[in-house]
Amino acid sequence: MASKTYRICTLPGDGIGPEIMAQAVKALEAIGRAYDVDFQCEEHLIGGCAIDATAAAGRTPTALPDETLEAARACDAVLLAAVGGPKWDGAAPGQARPEQGLLAIRKQLGLYLNLRPVRVYPALIDASPLRPERLKGVDLVIVRELTGGLYFGAHERKTDVAGAGADGRPGTFCRDTMEYSEYEIERVVRWAFEAARRRPSKRVASVDKANVLETSRLWREVAHRVAAEYPDVEETDVLVDNCSMQLVNNPAQFSVLVTENTFGDILSDEASMLSGSLGMLASASLGDGTALYEPSHGSAPDIAGRGIANPIAQLLSVELMLRYSFKMDDAADALAGAIDDVLADGWRTGDIADASTPADHRLGTDAMGDKVVEAFEARAAR
Ligand code: IPM
Ligand code: MG
């Protein structure tokens, strides 16, 4: 009997999801053995596969079945891979879409904050499209608001609206609304300041579009109010367009970036390229309910089923889960260290390989998972 038991709700989802989730489950088994913990993984449906399964069972098609949400609530953590794919892209307005499953689980679990740490791996400096000198000293974390803004404001679609078509003819009109309440801003901004306080570089960049948007002007007011409580942390306001330029021009200036939902979505994909690949960026969604961990990338339908996807962002999501949900910092350090070791030894999946990678060091998804587990076990045995 292991000394501790944790229940993990695993949601492989669509596309490359099941392939990379298999590596995470394998890693969890090894971590459990090394640290005397029984991780009980329970697999459930989310996204396109959930839409298909509910439809096949004669139920109303949904990307987040009730039983999945109930399991997520009952577990100690949720580990998700990815949702979506071309099969469901053509959904008509009002029909279920895979992404709704992800948005619904975030909302239903009250996960208002999404953390995306961006690290530069010395071994991968050449995999980044940026010049090595720009990457020196890069160590930042994006704190993205996750249950507000455009994603959750009122959406509307109207057809046959007078004048909405070309040449004054009737046409379609759509509206998405960016909405924020003070408390929604304050809780993520405060979290960012707390995190900055624990970092070597105590800086928070609050990202907004206050020169245009009212929600951003409120964001900035709240950021300043919270900043006044943290005199040891340096706060700067950065306009989002400027931020996206600074992220490639001088990314080392940032420590903690805090921003609203849509800006965070866009900036985090951009920032992932500092690590060399979107396949390296993990995330933790935290808030009121069971925390959820997932790679920041999508389901990569173009390479699904081929066994070539990079499982590292999924494994780094396990690392975040060990840290934030289970307070197993030693195990998290060993897993992160194992990934460093594997990369330093020159092992690469296709997305992070370059011309200098020998053919025998190019790995598929499963072999990369095995390498990380092997390196983890070597570290844990030390
Ligand atoms: C992400 C993804 C999701 C988002 C999509 C799949 C709905 O892009 O987690 O960044 O926009 O939040
Ligand atoms: Mg995204």
Side-chain angles (χ1 to χ4, degrees):
M1 267 299 269
S3 64
K4 251 200 153 89
T5 299
Y6 289 120
R7 288 174 66 192
I8 301 172
C9 173
T10 60
L11 306 173
D14 310 314
I16 59 168
E19 299 162 51
I20 56 175
M21 182 62 83
Q23 311 315 312
V25 171
K26 198 157 68 184
L28 280 165
E29 282 162 10
I31 297 160
R33 279 193 300 272
Y35 288 86
D36 193 26
V37 175
D38 184 13
F39 293 112
Q40 294 179 353
C41 294
E42 303 173 20
E43 192 173 299
H44 293 274
L45 297 173
I46 195 167
C49 59
I51 294 175
D52 290 353
T54 44
R59 296 162 54 186
T60 309
T62 173
L64 180 65
D66 290 341
E67 55 273 26
T68 299
L69 183 58
E70 275 158 33
R73 287 209 165 105
C75 281
D76 299 303
V78 182
L79 185 65
L80 187 143
V83 298
K87 181 174 177 194
W88 305 280
D89 279 348
Q95 266 185 344
R97 304 183 65 97
E99 292 75 13
Q100 287 166 347
L102 186 53
L103 301 185
I105 198 170
R106 289 171 178 170
K107 191 73 170 181
Q108 293 294 326
L109 295 177
L111 305 174
Y112 52 78
L113 182 143
N114 181 243
L115 204 70
R116 300 186 167 183
V118 180
R119 288 182 214 137
V120 170
Y121 295 83
L124 290 187
I125 287 231
D126 291 328
S128 171
L130 267 75
R131 285 205 299 274
E133 61 269 26
R134 307 244 160 174
L135 298 172
K136 244 182 100 199
V138 168
D139 174 19
L140 64 96
V141 51
I142 297 182
V143 179
R144 168 186 175 194
E145 198 290 326
L146 201 61
T147 51
L150 282 175
Y151 280 59
F152 293 94
H155 307 288
E156 189 187 6
R157 184 182 190 101
K158 289 193 287 197
T159 48
D160 288 322
V161 175
D167 307 322
R169 287 192 297 265
T172 305
F173 169 86
C174 291
R175 185 196 333 255
D176 300 291
T177 330
M178 193 184 282
E179 297 175 1
Y180 271 107
S181 297
E182 219 173 319
Y183 82 93
E184 294 179 290
I185 302 171
E186 174 152 354
R187 60 190 177 182
V188 294
V189 169
R190 191 170 290 286
W191 203 95
F193 275 88
E194 288 291 332
R197 204 167 238 184
R198 294 189 299 269
R199 291 171 63 87
S201 174
K202 300 181 180 17
R203 277 174 291 147
V204 170
S206 170
V207 182
D208 63 38
K209 188 72 186 169
N211 51 351
V212 178
L213 302 175
E214 202 52 45
T215 44
S216 279
R217 285 190 274 271
L218 177 61
W219 186 281
R220 198 174 273 209
E221 273 168 46
V222 173
H224 289 183
R225 198 168 67 214
V226 174
E229 296 175 39
Y230 296 81
D232 51 325
V233 178
E234 183 192 319
E235 194 264 354
T236 16
D237 304 314
V238 189
L239 291 171
V240 62
D241 46 351
N242 182 249
C243 182
S244 99
M245 182 272 279
Q246 296 293 342
L247 270 174
V248 287
N249 188 46
N250 177 16
Q253 70 184 289
F254 296 119
S255 174
V256 177
L257 274 172
V258 62
T259 192
E260 68 89 39
N261 204 347
T262 306
F263 297 164
D265 178 46
I266 298 168
L267 293 177
S268 58
D269 268 32
E270 186 190 7
S272 76
M273 292 316 287
L274 304 169
S275 308
S277 166
L278 191 48
M280 299 294 298
L281 196 65
S283 88
S285 301
L286 312 173
D288 300 325
T290 319
L292 181 150
Y293 302 86
E294 60 169 317
S296 303
H297 60 68
S299 59
D302 53 324
I303 58 164
R306 293 170 54 198
I308 59 170
N310 182 352
I312 294 181
Q314 186 76 63
L315 293 165
L316 290 169
S317 302
V318 171
E319 182 217 324
L320 293 176
M321 179 169 77
L322 295 170
R323 270 186 220 289
Y324 288 98
S325 283
F326 307 144
K327 312 284 172 239
M328 292 175 65
D329 280 1
D330 290 349
D333 290 344
L335 180 58
I339 291 168
D340 289 344
D341 294 346
V342 167
L343 295 173
D345 287 344
W347 301 104
R348 300 283 185 271
T349 43
D351 58 319
I352 49 175
D354 59 31
S356 72
T357 311
D360 66 350
H361 274 62
R362 292 172 186 261
L363 302 178
T365 311
D366 204 49
M368 181 55 103
D370 288 343
K371 278 281 172 227
V372 172
V373 167
E374 206 179 286
F376 169 82
E377 287 180 330
R379 276 188 175 250
R382 270 182 221 159

